[in-house]
Amino acid sequence: MSENKTAKPIVEMRHISKAFGPVQALKDINLTLGEGEILGLVGDNSAGKSTLMKVMTGAYQRDTGDVLVSGKPTHFKNPHESREEGIEMIYQDFALCGNMDIAQNIFLGRWPKKGLFVDRNRMYAEADEVLKRLKVDVNSVFQKVESLSGGRQQSVAIARAISFNPRVVVLDEPTANLSVMATERLLETMAELKRQGVAQIIISHRLTDIFEVGDRIMVMKRGQNVGDRYIQHTTEQEVLELIVSGTPETALTADQALAGRAA
């Protein structure tokens, strides 16, 4: 994939540290994400992956370090503020309301209005447009979410995130509980988002999925970065070895990350 070497990264996290009491969850972490890039974030269950992403989105406050979005220093106090800068995170439980239909979930809490009333025609039309943008096929936007399969519910969660027109989407274990077919559909959706220029970070234990759609992979262990590799220049075996026994190394700088994508 050809990229402009002078392009700026969309997100930079520099020297991020975070402790919960005596537990040091993150230690001097650096992360760079380019526009339209898919970055896999991997490591064991105590590596600090979700904590790092919650710092990025403002769900947790960092102790030290800087977060830059499009080169601008930020300090998000909550996920609402990061959403305003175009960063969305989709959690593993999807956070959907099963007794509501697809369109109501996509626009939950921000239903389009006509005067004092909900503009239902506009809501369902716009929900349909978002699903078409993602090339997601559902029977009807009037369908109750609780009647959908896990894969379809995941698609609704992604559609809700995309309805905010984000520049960055973080997916937490997106394929963990999906069937093979649903996983394939999700990976197709991620590839479509990439074509539309949306950068993505995938927190996952499934290396095969990351190697199928990812550009780069970052390995964490005990709150530190122990490896940063381009997918085309590494193997699943090398990544597994880093997860099991890696030692901390310096993450790629923004220039290195973008130059590597242009190679």
Side-chain angles (χ1 to χ4, degrees):
M1 177 177 167
S2 178
E3 295 289 338
N4 183 351
K5 291 186 181 183
T6 63
K8 298 293 185 182
I10 191 165
V11 174
E12 288 182 84
M13 303 184 78
R14 300 175 178 172
H15 307 294
I16 301 296
S17 294
K18 174 66 179 177
F20 297 96
V23 178
Q24 190 70 41
L26 300 173
K27 307 171 186 176
D28 198 33
I29 288 280
N30 295 316
L31 178 148
T32 299
L33 181 69
E35 290 186 4
E37 182 179 35
I38 298 181
L39 171 67
L41 192 59
V42 302
D44 57 32
N45 288 331
S46 60
K49 307 180 299 295
S50 293
T51 299
L52 183 64
M53 292 299 94
K54 288 178 179 178
V55 168
M56 175 189 289
T57 60
Y60 291 159
Q61 300 303 302
R62 60 190 182 268
D63 296 334
T64 62
D66 299 297
V67 177
L68 289 79
V69 178
S70 296
K72 182 179 71 175
T74 61
H75 204 128
F76 303 130
K77 297 181 178 65
N78 53 59
H80 176 73
E81 292 188 357
S82 64
R83 172 175 286 162
E84 290 181 343
E85 289 293 330
I87 300 174
E88 285 285 333
M89 184 164 179
I90 301 171
Y91 293 94
Q92 196 170 353
D93 63 2
F94 306 154
L96 299 173
C97 295
N99 63 334
M100 293 184 175
D101 64 35
I102 291 172
Q104 289 170 330
N105 269 277
I106 291 175
F107 289 98
L108 186 63
R110 53 191 180 92
W111 295 321
K113 296 289 187 69
K114 179 183 286 186
L116 298 175
F117 303 98
V118 175
D119 188 342
R120 295 177 63 84
N121 290 336
R122 178 184 164 194
M123 179 175 71
Y124 287 103
E126 290 186 2
D128 190 56
E129 284 300 315
V130 172
L131 293 172
K132 285 179 179 176
R133 174 184 170 187
L134 293 175
K135 299 184 178 178
V136 173
D137 181 28
V138 295
N139 292 331
S140 168
V141 290
F142 296 95
Q143 191 172 356
K144 289 286 194 293
V145 163
E146 62 191 3
S147 69
L148 301 175
S149 67
R152 296 300 188 196
Q153 290 189 22
Q154 174 74 277
S155 295
V156 172
I158 294 174
R160 181 176 60 193
I162 291 304
S163 71
F164 287 96
N165 292 314
R167 295 182 290 166
V168 177
V169 174
V170 180
L171 300 101
D172 190 1
E173 296 291 351
T175 62
N177 300 309
L178 301 187
S179 67
V180 173
M181 184 175 295
T183 296
E184 290 177 355
R185 284 198 299 264
L186 175 61
L187 296 179
E188 289 171 1
T189 298
M190 295 176 68
E192 179 62 27
L193 288 176
K194 177 181 173 66
R195 284 190 288 272
Q196 295 178 20
V198 179
Q200 298 159 78
I201 297 177
I202 320 169
I203 303 172
S204 182
H205 287 89
R206 296 174 63 162
L207 295 182
T208 301
D209 297 340
I210 294 174
F211 271 74
E212 183 168 338
V213 297
D215 297 296
R216 191 159 51 90
I217 192 163
M218 175 173 156
V219 184
M220 293 182 64
K221 191 175 183 68
R222 292 189 292 274
Q224 295 178 282
N225 180 4
V226 297
D228 205 328
R229 302 285 189 273
Y230 299 107
I231 296 295
Q232 61 182 340
H233 297 151
T234 190
T235 64
E236 290 189 34
Q237 183 59 40
E238 181 185 16
V239 172
L240 282 170
E241 290 173 0
L242 286 168
I243 291 172
V244 173
S245 59
T247 55
E249 65 177 36
T250 301
L252 296 175
T253 66
D255 288 342
Q256 288 171 332
L258 292 168
R261 294 173 65 208

